[in-house]
Amino acid sequence: MPLRLAQIFDQSALARAAAAAVIGLAALAAPLRAETAAPQKAEIEKIVHDYLLANPEVIRDAIDELDRRQKVAEADSRQKAVTQGANKLFNSASQAVIGNPSGDVTLVEFFDYNCGYCKRALDDVAKLIEGDSKLRVVLKDFPVLGAGSVEAAEIATAARLQLKPEKFYEFHRKLLNTRGAVGKAQAIAVAKELGADTAKLEKDSKSPEVKASIKEVMELADSLNLTGTPSWVLGKEVIIGAVGFQPLKAKIENTRKCGKTIC
C-alpha cells in the first residue's frame, strides 16, 4: 500500500522541509531584490526561525497540507488512468469474471496469491457476490510478491483458459486459501485437483497469450500507481488495501444509487 508522506520521511526531515518552504515564501514576500545583502537575508531567516520555534504547529500544518495535496493529486491521476484504461480494466479478454457476468456494477480486484491481506479479502468478495446477484467482479492477477507469485500467476492464467468460469473461481479460492508460500507447484496441484490437463497447463503458462495477459495487468497497475495488493477499482475510484466487507458493500450500493462511491 502506498505510504503516507509522514511515513516516508522522518519528522526532522519534514520539519526542515517545511521550514525551508516557509523561509522561501518569506523571502519571496519580502520587499527585497535577489541581490539582498547577506545580513538582511540572515535577519529574515532568523525572524522566520524564531517564528517557527514559537509556533511549531505551523510545521505540522504545512506537512498536513502537503500530504493532502499529494493525495488529491494522486486521486486525480488515478481517475484519469481509470477513464483512459476503462476498456482493459473492465472488459479485457485477459481477465477472469466471477459473480454475475452481466451485472450492473463491476468491482475490479488486483490481487497476489501470496498476499495475506488478499487471503483475508477473499471472504469479503465471496460475501459480496453471495449477497448481491447483480454484482460483477473482475479478477486481475497482479504478482508483485516475488518469483513464486509470478509462477502462480502464469499457471492461474493458463488455468483460466482451460477451466470453466465456475471451476476457475473454485481454483482461485483454493489457491488463495493455500497455507504457506504459493508458487508453480501449488498452483498446478490445485488445478489438477479440479480436472485440468497439467501438461497443457505447463505449456500454456509460457505462451505469448499468458505473458501478454500478465503484462497487461502490470501496465494497468502502473498507470493507476498501485504499489500493493489488494487494490480495487469501482466506478472511477481506486481503493487501496483490504478495507473490509462493509466499506466495499456501501460503495457498491452508492455506485448503484447515484453513480459514485460516495453519494
Side-chain angles (χ1 to χ4, degrees), residues 1-256:
M1 293 173 59
L3 299 174
R4 289 174 59 84
L5 186 64
Q7 293 174 302
I8 298 174
F9 303 105
D10 60 60
Q11 290 298 321
S12 61
L14 282 169
R16 289 196 298 272
V22 175
I23 289 170
L25 290 172
L28 286 172
L32 300 170
R33 295 186 178 277
E35 61 270 17
T36 298
Q40 291 174 302
K41 182 173 181 291
E43 184 179 353
I44 293 171
E45 289 180 352
K46 184 177 185 307
I47 292 170
V48 175
H49 173 270
D50 291 346
Y51 177 80
L52 290 175
L53 286 180
N55 302 275
E57 65 275 7
V58 170
I59 295 174
R60 179 202 60 209
D61 293 344
I63 293 169
D64 289 345
E65 177 61 16
L66 189 60
D67 194 22
R68 185 193 68 78
R69 292 186 187 185
Q70 183 187 49
K71 287 180 178 177
V72 169
E74 283 181 353
D76 289 345
S77 175
R78 283 172 172 157
Q79 281 194 359
K80 289 177 183 177
V82 168
T83 300
Q84 292 170 357
N87 191 47
K88 289 183 178 180
L89 264 174
F90 301 112
N91 300 304
S92 174
S94 301
Q95 64 188 23
V97 177
I98 58 177
N100 185 342
S102 303
D104 61 350
V105 173
T106 297
L107 175 68
V108 180
E109 180 187 9
F110 287 78
F111 70 94
D112 184 305
Y113 282 112
N114 281 301
C115 166
Y117 291 103
C118 299
K119 294 177 186 292
R120 296 181 197 177
L122 180 62
D123 287 342
D124 296 334
V125 173
K127 283 174 64 179
L128 288 169
I129 290 172
E130 289 166 7
D132 188 340
S133 62
K134 294 182 179 181
L135 179 64
R136 177 175 180 264
V137 178
V138 172
L139 300 175
K140 301 282 190 185
D141 202 329
F142 181 34
V144 292
L145 296 176
S149 294
V150 174
E151 291 175 354
E154 290 173 343
I155 297 298
T157 304
R160 176 180 54 78
L161 300 175
Q162 197 177 135
L163 299 173
K164 292 183 178 180
E166 62 274 13
K167 276 289 184 182
F168 179 78
Y169 183 34
E170 189 176 352
F171 165 88
H172 172 74
R173 295 183 68 174
K174 282 180 176 290
L175 188 57
L176 201 49
N177 271 323
T178 300
R179 291 188 176 183
V182 174
K184 180 179 178 179
Q186 291 77 14
I188 288 177
V190 172
K192 182 179 180 180
E193 181 184 341
L194 295 173
D197 181 334
T198 56
K200 181 172 172 55
L201 269 185
E202 293 213 46
K203 180 181 178 181
D204 289 348
S205 69
K206 300 302 179 184
S207 69
E209 184 176 359
V210 166
K211 290 185 181 297
S213 177
I214 294 174
K215 181 182 177 183
E216 179 182 282
V217 175
M218 300 299 281
E219 289 175 347
L220 279 171
D222 186 56
S223 71
L224 294 168
N225 194 28
L226 304 183
T227 57
T229 53
S231 293
W232 320 80
V233 179
L234 181 60
K236 290 188 177 181
E237 183 184 356
V238 177
I239 305 160
I240 305 298
V243 295
F245 170 74
Q246 286 297 340
L248 287 174
K249 184 175 184 289
K251 287 177 181 293
I252 290 166
E253 289 173 350
N254 285 339
T255 299
R256 189 170 280 130

